[in-house]
Amino acid sequence: MAKITYIEHDGTQHEVDVKPGMTVMEGARDNGIPGIDADCGGACACSTCHVYVDPAWLDKLPAKDPMEEDMLDFAYEPDPARSRLTCQIKVTDELDGLVVQMPERQI
Ligand code: FES
């Protein structure tokens, strides 16, 4: 299990255990965490699963593929350095402790 902390825009924190193999988006959805809408269900086609990754974790995540990069252009106030789509991040044991923050709104 990997412990992931999801922080809402207002600072409310949710710390949950997510099974490796799931995505960071699925971890939020299955735990009822607000702020990640995931309208397309994880197909990298909506950008409503956008988060800002804690700077300490940026280097530990796999690189964005071109499709994620393109979809992030449609996200609400993307930050080129910290924005990721959570449906494109697979949880692994190495991501134990990951911290992500949701934007003010999704699109
Ligand atoms: Fe739609 Fe991630 S859930 S892009």
Side-chain angles (χ1 to χ4, degrees):
M1 286 292 202
K3 201 170 279 306
I4 299 183
T5 302
Y6 300 84
I7 306 174
E8 292 183 58
H9 185 72
D10 69 2
T12 306
Q13 297 202 12
H14 305 264
E15 196 178 281
V16 295
D17 289 320
V18 182
K19 218 193 280 172
M22 294 178 70
T23 65
V24 174
M25 176 277 277
E26 290 167 333
R29 183 196 61 195
D30 293 359
N31 286 286
I33 296 169
I36 293 181
D37 297 346
D39 290 341
C40 77
C44 199
C46 72
S47 85
T48 64
C49 64
H50 168 219
V51 297
Y52 304 112
V53 174
D54 184 283
W57 284 90
L58 287 172
D59 292 348
K60 301 183 178 88
L61 297 181
K64 288 175 244 183
D65 71 15
M67 205 162 126
E68 180 182 354
E69 198 86 65
D70 286 351
M71 275 318 297
L72 274 169
D73 288 343
F74 299 96
Y76 179 74
E77 295 190 349
D79 174 338
R82 298 175 56 215
S83 288
R84 293 297 303 256
L85 295 179
T86 49
C87 72
Q88 299 303 301
I89 304 173
K90 274 252 189 297
V91 175
T92 61
D93 289 331
E94 286 68 43
L95 293 189
D96 184 35
L98 176 67
V99 179
V100 299
Q101 178 155 28
M102 280 73 98
E104 187 176 359
R105 59 189 171 90
Q106 298 288 1
I107 312 184

